[in-house]
Amino acid sequence: MPEPVCPLCKGARYVLDRSQERSLARVCGCNERCQSCEGTGRIHLTKDGYSYVKPCACRSIGQRVVRFNQARLPARCGLSFDEFLPENDVQAMAREAARTTAYRYRPDSPSKGFIVSGPVGSGKTHLLCATLRHLTLELGVEARYVEISFLFAEIRDGFSKNRSGLDAIGPLVATDVLAIDELGKGRGSPFELDTLDELIARRYNAGKTTLFATNYSLAPERGRQRGSPYPPDDQPGEKALDLLLRERVGERIYSRLQEMCHSIQFPATTPDHRRKEALR
């Protein structure tokens, strides 16, 4: 008789909750009554006439939940690949690229990340979070999510408390997989660009997997891919065709992004899913 599936976690062994600004996970109560190992933490298997023992998944779920909570994912977005519903072929391709990044990740051989560009509300953050959810909860990978403007604010606040910028970016450099949201957003000051350059350069040199999302066009120069750039919220007066990520982050960072990531740009006509939900 097959093992009954827990109605609360649907067999995942963990449950997701929201706590103010963050998504949090907790171990489901069914894990304490694991029927796979009968509470021993070990599963006995036989293959080709040989018997061996492997650890049961119920013993590792606690550490995977810790990894998820340390990633600091925002509470506002969907977290699974299945909940991401493409509106066009490019979004469908982006979902598969993100899924491949998550499912094929190997700690001993980190792969390229991805950078996804698109209009506001087109699901960019959703893809970042779905990738980190799988990496942390299913594979136990150490990961972090950060919105770039919040990072700049955290570093500035640290200066007033006699902390250096390295105190803030050090953990982001060290983590196995980092997702940087809202790339290009901010004042574009020397402080911001120097901080971003150091963070990306150190991860680039270490060969670590980094994911990005941006509202700015990935086009290499003005006049290319007409109609694809998008005016971000903090600069509504600028012409859309003038808003290139290359100009926002500089040649050095832009060049490294090309090598670190697969680039995906949603069509400018991709609808804002938040606006669609509000109209329902």
Side-chain angles (χ1 to χ4, degrees), residues 122-235:
S122 56
K124 304 181 297 298
T125 300
H126 188 143
L127 291 176
L128 295 185
C129 292
T131 303
L132 295 195
R133 170 181 173 169
H134 182 86
L135 289 172
T136 54
L137 284 175
E138 303 302 329
L139 303 182
V141 174
E142 185 181 60
R144 275 289 304 274
Y145 166 93
V146 63
E147 186 174 321
I148 198 65
S149 58
F150 291 167
L151 174 61
F152 295 149
E154 179 183 347
I155 295 174
R156 289 191 181 96
D157 182 64
F159 290 156
S160 65
K161 301 173 183 175
N162 296 319
R163 294 200 299 262
S164 71
L166 186 59
D167 292 332
I169 71 170
L172 302 182
V173 171
T175 194
D176 291 331
V177 180
L178 175 65
I180 300 178
D181 207 353
E182 301 285 359
L183 182 64
K185 186 176 182 180
R187 304 170 186 170
S189 66
F191 155 73
E192 292 180 349
L193 292 178
D194 288 347
T195 299
L196 185 61
D197 181 63
E198 181 175 1
L199 175 57
I200 292 178
R202 292 179 65 180
R203 291 191 61 81
Y204 170 85
N205 292 333
K208 291 181 176 289
T209 301
T210 312
L211 320 176
F212 301 90
T214 180
N215 289 337
Y216 290 87
S217 170
L218 302 180
E221 55 190 74
R222 300 188 189 199
R224 299 285 294 277
Q225 300 181 17
R226 180 169 294 275
S228 59
Y230 329 100
D233 293 339
D234 58 348
Q235 294 184 349

Side-chain angles (χ1 to χ4, degrees), residues 17-145:
D17 297 314
R18 293 185 178 188
S19 176
Q20 298 180 347
E21 298 180 358
R22 303 294 178 195
S23 289
L24 295 177
R26 57 184 171 86
V27 178
C28 185
C30 71
N31 196 63
E32 300 299 324
R33 307 181 299 274
C34 181
Q35 296 186 23
S36 297
C37 67
E38 298 182 342
T40 65
R42 300 181 301 275
I43 297 179
H44 296 266
L45 300 171
T46 301
K47 184 177 181 180
D48 298 330
Y50 294 92
S51 298
Y52 63 98
V53 176
K54 76 171 186 177
C56 182
C58 71
R59 295 306 188 197
S60 65
I61 188 60
Q63 180 59 33
R64 287 184 274 139
V65 162
V66 169
R67 293 290 197 203
F68 178 86
N69 293 338
Q70 289 173 337
R72 303 178 67 182
L73 301 182
R76 59 183 168 81
C77 70
L79 289 171
S80 73
F81 291 116
D82 291 340
E83 291 173 289
F84 183 86
L85 305 177
E87 298 279 354
N88 52 58
D89 291 344
V90 181
Q91 282 190 308
M93 178 182 68
R95 183 177 63 180
E96 291 313 303
R99 195 195 302 267
T100 298
T101 300
Y103 279 70
R104 295 186 180 179
Y105 180 83
R106 298 292 180 270
D108 57 344
S109 181
S111 57
K112 264 190 173 185
F114 61 83
I115 178 169
V116 57
S117 166
V120 171
S122 56
K124 304 181 297 298
T125 300
H126 188 143
L127 291 176
L128 295 185
C129 292
T131 303
L132 295 195
R133 170 181 173 169
H134 182 86
L135 289 172
T136 54
L137 284 175
E138 303 302 329
L139 303 182
V141 174
E142 185 181 60
R144 275 289 304 274
Y145 166 93

Side-chain angles (χ1 to χ4, degrees), residues 197 201 249-257:
D197 181 63
V249 301
E251 290 294 332
R252 178 182 168 91
I253 294 174
Y254 182 81
S255 176
R256 283 183 170 147
L257 293 175

